[in-house]
Amino acid sequence: HKHKHKHKHKHKHTSTTMESAKPEKEKKPKKDIVIPPKKPKLSKAERRALQESQRAAKAEAADGGNASKKSSQLQQQSSPSDGNEANEKKNGNGNGNGNGASSDENMEGSSRNDTLTFFSHLPPYKDHRKIKDFSGVKLSSSSNSNLHPAVHALGLQYADGSIRGANSRCKAMFKTFQKVIQDYTLPLDTKKDYRQDLENRVLKPSFTYWTTKCRIHSVTMGNAFTFLKLAVANLGRDMVLEDVKSILCEGMDAYIHERIDFADVAICKYGSSKIMNGDVILTYAKNELIQMLLSNLDREKKKIRVILVDSRPLLEGKDMLQELMDAGVECTYILLNSLSYVMKEVTKVFLGASALMSDGSVLSRVGTATVAMMARSHNVPVLVCCETFKISNRVQLESITGNELGDPDDLMPPSLSLEEWKSSRGEHLRLVNLLYDLTPNEFVSGIVTEMGILPPTSVAVLLREMNPQDSGFKEEEF
């Protein structure tokens, strides 16, 4: 009886809780309140069009109606009239440069060529011939007007491709910084620290000008610039200006001598030890270090044949082919599409590198990964010759995340321009001229550095030993 009583009591308790847990009835809105309908979800192209129209309206209000024509043109160009037009702009088929930038400077700097969607995050190629005030010489005051003339001269060489290659660009940057530092004068404000003034008024604006106006900086330039900033920060506050100039210039000379010139000699010594008499060496494109290695071999003891693989649009291997032939090296010149036909004759592959990722992947001229993969399929060892100052602390798994876009006009036949070719092929044609690709570490047999021949897995150790400023630790912790 007690058990039944308990069950009754428990049933009453649960029923009361169920009644209390019932949701309250929704309150009906009052009749005099009007609930606005939900706003439709806008696409990316429509949001961009709305932002452009709002900016144009603000500019019109500020300028007193001068920008009315410009706003109407922007609305006509950017507002999608139907779904197809919106999809075209979303996929990068519109009149933009592919990265969402709407400024006139980017439109004039780029070749107005639409890139594919998965390359839209890369900075567009900037043709220095179409950029207004590229030289930096203006009547009005601007950020570029205070730059040293040597900075503008080097920037023009970067932009037109007169200086190519990671080592050459780094050396040219240091030589220009030496000229700039020699002409440096102390700030008028005597209370201001000259180290901050030298970095913020001289060094950083020059490096930013080269990167934003001329060409994206390489890994070697970034590492060398980090070294220079650390050298400036380690100077004494009360040092004489002449001593400052001599210390910085001597430090840059020592960096070039030790990290580039001496490293190249050591790499050639280690690399030549792997070349035997009768070897058939295959290399790709132009690399000063590989050219130095093959030209300085003892031909009486080691008779070799070199197969030089090249590719459009730069065809840089022609210059290296002439240098090797002048040095007395037997050479064979082929294009990349003929690689599979000659790989069965090759005994070793020597490749250059623009940068080394911390996981051992190699960033180099586009086409290098194809050569390495083909060599791996034929069981041919692949040796990459690279200095340790090219090591980056980044990890990259493919060639899309970090790359550089070249001039799309280089892909055209010499007799046609880009506009003529696009008009004959269709207005939706998009050209992509990538300059680099990434070779995974599993396709690399060994990396020849000035420290010796190491496996790709040891790159992280070299990063910690040779570039402590990039490893995220202090020197005292090692």
Side-chain angles (χ1 to χ4, degrees), residues 19 41 65 81 91 101 124 208 288 316 335 353 359 391 416 428:
E19 289 177 0
K41 191 174 182 181
S81 59
N91 294 333
T208 304
E288 295 178 356
E316 296 176 306
L335 294 179
D359 62 342
I391 299 176
L416 291 177
H428 296 299

Side-chain angles (χ1 to χ4, degrees), residues 118-119 121-123 394-404:
F118 43 84
F119 292 119
H121 64 283
L122 299 177
R394 295 188 295 114
V395 175
Q396 192 169 325
L397 303 178
E398 26 68 28
S399 305
I400 300 175
T401 303
N403 211 316
E404 184 179 353

Side-chain angles (χ1 to χ4, degrees), residues 45-262:
E46 292 172 344
R47 290 197 304 270
R48 189 180 301 167
L50 181 61
Q51 291 176 356
E52 293 292 342
S53 60
Q54 291 175 352
R55 290 172 188 165
K58 289 182 181 179
E60 183 180 358
D63 298 341
N66 292 334
S68 59
K69 295 181 180 180
K70 184 176 179 181
S71 63
S72 61
Q73 292 176 358
L74 284 170
Q75 290 177 1
Q76 291 176 2
Q77 292 177 0
S78 57
S79 61
S81 59
D82 54 9
N84 295 332
E85 191 174 347
N87 290 333
E88 285 179 6
K89 293 201 173 187
K90 187 174 181 180
N91 294 333
N93 294 338
N95 296 327
N97 55 6
N99 66 342
S102 60
S103 62
D104 294 336
E105 181 180 355
N106 287 343
M107 289 295 294
E108 292 172 358
S110 65
S111 58
R112 298 179 185 270
N113 173 50
D114 301 329
T115 58
L116 296 175
T117 306
F118 43 84
F119 292 119
S120 60
H121 64 283
L122 299 177
Y125 172 77
K126 298 179 181 180
D127 192 348
H128 66 282
R129 296 166 295 183
K130 299 179 182 179
I131 298 179
K132 293 181 180 179
D133 305 315
F134 176 79
S135 62
V137 180
K138 295 183 180 179
L139 295 177
S140 60
S141 60
S142 65
S143 59
N144 296 335
S145 58
N146 295 326
L147 295 178
H148 195 278
V151 175
H152 295 295
L154 180 60
L156 182 61
Q157 291 178 308
Y158 282 156
D160 62 9
S162 301
I163 299 179
R164 291 185 183 273
N167 291 0
S168 299
R169 292 171 66 187
C170 182
K171 288 181 180 179
M173 181 187 72
F174 266 173
K175 295 297 182 184
T176 302
F177 273 143
Q178 286 178 340
K179 296 179 183 178
V180 173
I181 290 175
Q182 289 294 341
D183 296 336
Y184 172 73
T185 56
L186 292 174
L188 298 177
D189 187 3
T190 55
K191 296 182 180 179
K192 190 174 182 180
D193 191 350
Y194 76 91
R195 295 172 296 184
Q196 296 180 358
D197 181 71
L198 179 61
E199 180 178 346
N200 298 327
R201 188 170 63 90
V202 178
L203 300 181
K204 280 187 177 179
S206 302
F207 191 77
T208 304
Y209 171 75
W210 291 329
T211 302
T212 57
K213 290 284 188 180
C214 307
R215 187 183 172 185
I216 303 173
H217 69 273
S218 61
V219 173
T220 58
M221 292 174 62
N223 291 341
F225 187 66
T226 302
F227 164 80
L228 182 58
K229 289 192 298 183
L230 288 175
V232 173
N234 291 330
L235 293 173
R237 181 182 178 89
D238 300 327
M239 290 185 65
V240 183
L241 182 59
E242 296 300 325
D243 295 339
V244 170
K245 293 180 180 180
S246 62
I247 290 175
L248 293 179
C249 292
E250 289 175 1
M252 285 185 280
D253 285 333
Y255 188 93
I256 294 174
H257 177 70
E258 295 174 6
R259 304 300 299 273
I260 302 178
D261 296 337
F262 176 76

